[in-house]
Amino acid sequence: MTGDMSPIDKAKFAAACRAADMVENGMRVGLGTGSTAAWMVRRLGERVKQEGLRIKGVPTSTRTAQLARELGIEVVSLDQAGWLDLTIDGADEFDGELNLIKGGGGAHLQEKIVATASDQMIVIADAGKEVETLGAFPLPVEVIPFGWQTTRTLIQEALDTMDVLGNSAALRMNGEAPFVTDVGNHILDLHLQRIGNARQLALVLNQVPGVVENGLFIDICDKVVIGHGDGRVELRDINDGTLELDQLVEGGENLFSDLAD
Ligand code: 5RP
C-alpha cells in the first residue's frame, strides 16, 4: 500500500501525524477538513484506540464529523465545547507570516469560526503549499444563494480597487449544479493570481452584502507543520519565531506502514 502513496500524500501524512501527536488528554480539539486533516483525524482515532486518548472533537464539516465518529472520537458541537484548546487544519496556501488561503474543500466558513474560537491553530501542509505572496490558489468566497450573481458583480467592482492581478469570479460547481456548502451556501472562486494586501482584501470582501465569509485567514494561525515526502517535518511557530526539524520515523517507510486504506 505504501508504494501507492505519492510524495505529496506522504508529506501530508507526516505533517498530520506530527500535529496529531501534539494533542493531549482532555483537550477540546477543532478538527479541520480536507485530505491532510483527514490523516490527522485518522491518527487521532488511532491514539484514542491504542492509548486511550480522551478528547472532544469539534468537526468543521459533515465529512470530518462522519470520519471522526467512525474512528471512535467523541464529537461535540462548537457550542457544546464553548472554547477549544487547539484546532488542527490544512490549508491551500500559507505565507511567511502564516496567513492562509483556505476553502479548497468548501468548508472555510466553519473552519474560520472554529479556528478563531481556539487558543491555538496549527496548520498542517505539504511543503508545496508555501508561497511568498498569497493568491495563485483561487480565493474561495462563500456567498448566500439569494442574488449571488449581483453579489459577484459587487465583489468584482470591489476587486477593481484592490491590489490584485485578476477579477474573475467562478461559481464553484458540483457536476452540473452549483456546489452547496454544509450550511446551504455557494462558493465563488476568485482568480486573483497575486494578493498584494491580504488583510485589506479580507476586510473589503466581507463588507459586500451577500458575502458570508472569505477564505483568507489573517493572524489566525499560530504554527505550521510542514511535511516532506521522505517523512521530514518542520514545525514553525510564528509567535515564538522558532523552527524545529523532525523525522518522524527513521528509515522512512515505517512511517507509512500502518495505513489501512
Ligand atoms: C477545506 C480546506 C482544506 O484545508 C484545504 O483545501 C487543504 O486541503 P488538502 O489538505 O486536501 O490539500 O481549506 O475547506
Side-chain angles (χ1 to χ4, degrees):
M1 161 62 218
T2 58
D4 294 343
M5 282 182 86
S6 70
I8 288 182
D9 284 336
K10 288 181 179 180
K12 289 180 176 188
F13 181 71
C17 288
R18 179 67 178 81
D21 288 349
M22 292 158 78
V23 173
E24 295 170 12
N25 247 337
M27 278 187 167
R28 291 158 298 174
V29 184
L31 306 172
T33 295
S35 57
T36 320
W39 287 124
M40 178 274 297
V41 174
R42 288 190 188 103
R43 178 67 161 200
L44 285 177
E46 198 176 70
R47 291 191 59 200
V48 166
K49 281 207 184 80
Q50 290 177 359
E51 299 168 26
L53 177 75
R54 284 175 295 99
I55 56 166
K56 291 186 197 302
V58 174
T60 52
S61 62
T62 51
R63 272 170 286 163
T64 298
Q66 188 182 340
L67 180 63
R69 284 198 183 95
E70 281 168 12
L71 293 166
I73 297 171
E74 183 182 348
V75 167
V76 297
S77 71
L78 180 58
D79 287 336
Q80 284 169 326
W83 192 260
L84 306 180
D85 298 285
L86 176 65
T87 285
I88 306 175
D89 201 350
D92 299 302
E93 280 186 355
F94 65 94
D95 69 12
E97 295 179 336
L98 303 195
N99 292 321
L100 320 171
I101 287 185
K102 284 186 53 56
H108 66 270
L109 170 60
Q110 296 96 307
E111 290 169 342
K112 201 182 267 192
I113 295 170
V114 167
T116 304
S118 305
D119 283 341
Q120 222 193 132
M121 180 195 195
I122 301 178
V123 157
I124 47 180
D126 62 273
K129 303 273 183 73
E130 181 165 15
V131 296
E132 200 147 305
T133 305
L134 298 173
F137 191 91
L139 175 64
V141 177
E142 183 154 343
V143 298
I144 63 166
F146 177 86
W148 71 266
Q149 295 185 56
T150 304
T151 303
R152 176 166 69 177
T153 303
L154 292 171
I155 288 174
Q156 287 176 313
E157 279 175 18
L159 289 176
D160 290 341
T161 68
M162 295 285 107
D163 182 7
V164 294
L165 292 182
N167 85 341
S168 99
L171 180 67
R172 191 177 296 182
M173 302 297 287
N174 182 12
E176 297 293 301
F179 175 85
V180 178
T181 68
D182 272 357
V183 292
N185 294 318
H186 294 330
I187 289 188
L188 296 172
D189 289 306
L190 310 187
H191 294 257
L192 308 176
Q193 298 167 55
R194 181 183 178 283
I195 301 173
N197 188 338
R199 186 179 304 273
Q200 183 188 38
L201 181 62
L203 291 173
V204 166
L205 285 172
N206 278 12
Q207 280 173 1
V208 175
V211 168
V212 182
E213 191 53 80
N214 69 80
L216 285 165
F217 283 48
I218 310 293
D219 295 338
I220 294 177
C221 174
D222 300 282
K223 293 179 183 161
V224 62
V225 182
I226 305 167
H228 296 267
D230 57 3
R232 276 180 306 121
V233 287
E234 290 169 52
L235 172 59
R236 282 190 217 158
D237 184 321
I238 192 74
N239 304 313
D240 298 351
T242 54
L243 169 68
E244 272 177 46
L245 302 176
D246 218 342
Q247 173 89 38
L248 282 193
V249 175
E250 291 201 355
E253 279 300 285
N254 292 343
L255 176 64
F256 310 104
S257 62
D258 58 349
L259 297 180
D261 52 28

